[in-house]
Every structure is written in structure tokens, then in C-alpha cells.
Amino acid sequence: MEAERDNQLPPKEGEEADEQVVNPWMVSTKAGGKIDYDKLIDKFGCQRLDQSLIDRVHRLTGRPAHVFLRRGVFFAHRDLHEILDSYERGDKFYLYTGRGPSSEALHLGHLIPFMFTKYLQDAFKVPLVIQLTDDEKFLWKDLTLEECRRLARENAKDIIACGFDISRTFIFSDFDYVGGDFYMNMMRIAKCVTGNKAIGIFGFSMDDNIGKIAFPPVQAAPSFPSSFPHLFSGKNKLRCLIPCAIDQDPYFRMTRDVAPRLDYEKPALIESSFFPALQGENGKMSASDPNSAIYVTDSAKDIKNKINKYAFSGGQDSIENHRKYGANLEVDIPIKYLGFFLEDDAELEHIRMEYGAGRMLTGEVKKRLIQVLTEMVERHRAARAAVTDEMVDAFMAVRPLPNMFN
């Protein structure tokens, strides 16, 4: 049963030397190959998101399934069926997602959980808490504490620009908010997790600073409504749904393991695959390589140059061969990016058919992708420019949200 598999730990160091490694700080595969998501589901003990659940979301909300659901970007879950069962009975839930602010600007991979979370908030009409783990980035990155706090506010502007409803959304940075009931939950969680278990789940070593070893309860605590008394006072049985990339799963395996011991509800998860780098599908994009990603600060010229120069193509080495054999869609990055961001299912299928048959050339596919991404990034940039410091303060103010379930 899934309840038993929550306790499943990843192999110890060395046991999986030739296989893929996926955790909150590292995503790598043997010889730079593709992530095997079926193996990851089996290893982590989560479940495949099937069509019946996608259909239920459509039926319960009256909204078409998001493109990320229809195309399997969000592909795995823990207890999503229980969240939908309770919602169908008239019970509410809240959403929790987050961002580790380590860079000035977000790339498109960073936007994916926020785009999807906005859809969930709008569709289910539920509150949302967004954690900015500025403390985590201080512990893991070569950044000053002050810089981490500044980046948290800058990243908050990009998050707000995604269009979240301020009457249902609370954004907080750990440096500013942690204390009181939140800190008490951190301590409750920490007392339930041994050092050996933390090392088994997260791969810590004795060379890591002790702040890293102590951090997981900070990311776990927002899963419990009692961490937010200004929002959920008296609602300790309120369920939490966490949209996130699957590399965050270890945090919430730990959280789900300790929840029954604290008489808390287990958080449910809906998990996404990784957004591939421009150079190929060998993990997730890297903020350390600006040419591996499209950033929300990129100009139209930057986007065009990056797609034309760096986006890995599955087309053939000559027009003659391409017309004869067609493109390899399994490795083609422009097709994969269109799968994320081209809304029109019929157009996407037409491009796949024509390109796969060799009737459409790589340059034509890249041209359409450049149009899609340029429009998307320009929309986001305009929305971000309208976000003021006062708006950030308003979203981050510790306040009740009286209409959050209306």
C-alpha cells in the first residue's frame, strides 16, 4: 500500500552509481541520458496520474484540464484522489508551493509550477501559501544572507506576475515568517526524524553544515495548516495539496511519514517532470548556464538566438534525409517546448505529424516556437513591470484571508 511506501528510502550512496540520481539538489543520469520517470515513480513510491483523475478534475471544476495535465507534464501524485473525494463531499483544501530564490530572474522551468498552481487556485477556488526558502539558499549557495532576502522579494514579483488572487494568496519568506506556531511545527517534525533517516532520505554527509541537516522541517511545516494560525485557526484537519517538481518528493515523503505521529493529515502531492535544457533532455535546466534556458528577462532577440543556436534538433543532417526519414520527435527540444506552451492541441498534433514525416523542416518548427515563447515572455515581463514593492508587501503581509474559500 502507498502508506507503507511513504517510508521507502532511496538507495545509499554507491548503490545506484550507474543509475539516475534525483533529489532536491541534484538531477543526473548515467552518461547524460534521459530521466526514466517510471523508475522514479517506483523508487519514490508515488502513483502515476491517470486519465480518470484528469477527467475528475474537469468534472469537479467545470474547467478544461490544464495543458500540463492533458500532456502529462504533471504525471505523478500522492493521494490526489483523496483530495478530490473530500472536495466532492464539500470539504475544502489549501495549496502550498514554493521557490528557492537563488537567481535574479526565473527561467521557464521555474514558471511551470506557478502557472499550474494558478490554474488549480482558480479552478478550485482555494487558498494558497507560497514559501520562499531564502534560508535554504543561504545554506546551499555562495550568497550572503542579505542577498538571499533581496532575491526572495525579486522572485516574489515574478510569482505575483503569474496572476495569483491576492484575496486567496499568502507569500512568505522563511527569514521573515518563521516563528511561533510555524517554528513549533518545525520542532515537532524534527523530533520525529533521526539523523540516520535524514541522511538516508537526503544524502547528507558529515561534511555538510548542520544548517542543511536541520532544514527539511522548514519545508515540511507549511504542509500543516496549524503553521498558519492567521489563516487556518481551528482548521487543523484541512488537507494540503502540493504542486511541485518530482525532485522535491523526498521532503514530502518525510513529511507524510511523520504526519500520523503528530495527529496531522498527510499532505497530497501532484508532481511534474523536469523542463529540459535547450541542449537536450538530460535533466532540468541549469541556472548556472544561461544558454541552457530561456529566462523571463530575455529579449525577443535573445530568445530567437537561443532557440536557433542551442535548441537540440531531432531533424536529419540534410534536407534530403529529413524529407526521407523525418524528424526524431523523441529527442527534439523545440517539439518538447511546444508541448509545454502551445495551447492548441490540434496545431501541436499537426506540427508533430508534419515534422515527424519530414514535410516540415526544423527551421519552421523553431520559428513557431520562437513566436510562442516571445509572446509568453513579453506578457510576463509586462505583468512583472506592473508589480510594485507595495504589492509585494501586500501579498506578504501576515493577515487573515476572510474570502479565501468563497
Side-chain angles (χ1 to χ4, degrees):
M1 297 295 293
E2 190 183 349
E4 296 170 337
R5 300 187 76 189
D6 282 333
N7 299 321
Q8 191 171 322
L9 301 181
K12 295 283 192 300
E13 184 178 354
E15 290 181 359
E16 200 175 283
D18 295 330
E19 297 297 331
Q20 58 194 15
V21 175
V22 175
N23 62 44
W25 309 286
M26 179 184 292
V27 176
S28 65
T29 57
K30 181 180 179 181
K34 290 170 61 174
I35 296 291
D36 186 328
Y37 289 105
D38 289 325
K39 281 187 178 179
L40 209 52
I41 284 175
D42 188 57
K43 174 184 169 183
F44 284 177
C46 46
Q47 295 172 302
R48 175 70 71 170
L49 188 62
D50 61 26
Q51 189 60 44
S52 66
L53 282 174
I54 296 170
D55 292 341
R56 277 191 80 190
V57 171
H58 182 189
R59 179 171 58 81
L60 289 173
T61 64
R63 290 179 178 234
H66 193 278
V67 65
F68 293 164
L69 281 177
R70 297 199 309 270
R71 298 180 189 159
V73 174
F74 280 80
F75 72 101
H77 75 100
R78 293 180 185 272
D79 290 350
L80 178 61
H81 57 289
E82 293 185 10
I83 292 287
L84 298 180
D85 288 346
S86 62
Y87 185 82
E88 196 161 18
R89 292 192 301 266
D91 298 329
K92 297 292 187 178
F93 62 92
Y94 74 100
L95 296 163
Y96 156 41
T97 194
R99 159 81 182 137
S102 61
S103 59
E104 192 83 33
L106 278 61
H107 61 56
L108 296 187
H110 294 141
L111 282 186
I112 285 168
F114 295 109
M115 294 167 69
F116 186 64
T117 301
K118 180 188 173 348
Y119 158 79
L120 292 174
Q121 183 183 58
D122 292 345
F124 287 99
K125 304 288 193 294
V126 291
L128 161 68
V129 296
I130 299 175
Q131 180 182 43
L132 299 172
T133 55
D134 42 8
D135 51 345
E136 176 201 17
K137 294 309 174 185
F138 174 66
L139 293 168
W140 263 269
K141 300 287 186 178
D142 185 21
L143 296 168
T144 66
L145 191 148
E146 293 74 20
E147 180 68 357
C148 292
R149 294 191 71 194
R150 186 188 72 80
L151 290 173
R153 284 186 64 89
E154 289 303 307
N155 285 188
K157 293 176 181 177
D158 279 305
I159 293 168
I160 293 166
C162 292
F164 291 106
D165 181 350
I166 194 170
S167 71
R168 291 191 174 95
T169 305
F170 172 52
I171 302 175
F172 66 98
S173 81
D174 288 340
F175 279 136
D176 290 338
Y177 181 72
V178 170
D181 292 87
F182 191 104
Y183 184 71
M184 286 189 275
N185 271 341
M186 284 170 48
M187 292 300 99
R188 292 183 181 108
I189 296 162
K191 193 172 182 179
C192 293
V193 182
T194 65
N196 280 338
K197 189 159 192 177
I199 290 168
I201 294 172
F202 298 102
F204 296 130
S205 75
M206 291 301 102
D207 293 327
D208 285 313
N209 66 63
I210 61 173
K212 292 183 180 181
I213 300 168
F215 176 75
V218 185
Q219 189 156 322
S223 308
F224 304 134
S226 56
S227 296
F228 306 100
H230 64 288
L231 298 177
F232 306 127
S233 180
K235 295 183 171 66
N236 286 358
K237 293 298 181 180
L238 188 68
R239 291 294 299 267
C240 174
L241 175 62
I242 305 169
C244 61
I246 198 165
D247 61 338
Q248 300 300 302
D249 189 87
Y251 282 117
F252 302 113
R253 288 205 307 278
M254 180 196 77
T255 308
R256 287 169 58 85
D257 184 43
V258 304
R261 298 166 65 184
L262 302 176
D263 196 28
Y264 288 160
E265 298 293 326
K266 291 183 179 183
L269 282 84
I270 183 165
E271 300 177 313
S272 73
S273 56
F274 302 120
F275 189 64
L278 284 168
Q279 287 84 351
E281 195 177 25
N282 57 353
K284 58 181 182 178
M285 301 168 99
S286 171
S288 62
D289 179 5
N291 290 323
S292 74
I294 303 294
Y295 285 83
V296 296
T297 51
D298 283 346
S299 67
K301 183 179 178 181
D302 291 333
I303 294 170
K304 182 178 181 179
N305 180 60
K306 286 183 178 182
I307 296 300
N308 283 331
K309 189 173 181 179
Y310 298 108
F312 186 82
S313 169
Q316 301 298 330
D317 56 1
S318 70
I319 292 178
E320 181 183 3
N321 283 340
H322 186 81
R323 296 294 191 199
K324 184 176 180 180
Y325 300 112
N328 180 354
L329 304 185
E330 288 300 308
V331 301
D332 192 88
I333 289 299
I335 282 289
K336 292 184 182 298
Y337 278 28
L338 286 171
F340 279 84
F341 298 122
L342 180 60
E343 287 281 347
D344 189 321
D345 290 339
E347 183 185 358
L348 178 65
E349 184 57 26
H350 173 76
I351 292 172
R352 288 178 59 87
M353 291 287 290
E354 294 296 297
Y355 189 39
R359 292 185 292 270
M360 182 178 275
L361 299 176
T362 298
E364 297 172 275
V365 178
K366 287 187 172 184
K367 181 180 179 181
R368 183 66 181 111
L369 176 61
I370 290 165
Q371 291 173 340
V372 170
L373 295 186
T374 301
E375 290 170 8
M376 177 181 154
V377 168
E378 287 181 351
R379 274 198 312 273
H380 181 87
R381 192 157 52 236
R384 191 192 191 281
V387 177
T388 63
D389 286 331
E390 290 74 21
M391 288 173 66
V392 175
D393 291 339
F395 270 92
M396 298 184 76
V398 179
R399 68 207 189 277
L401 300 176
N403 298 314
M404 61 186 174
F405 289 120
N406 291 343

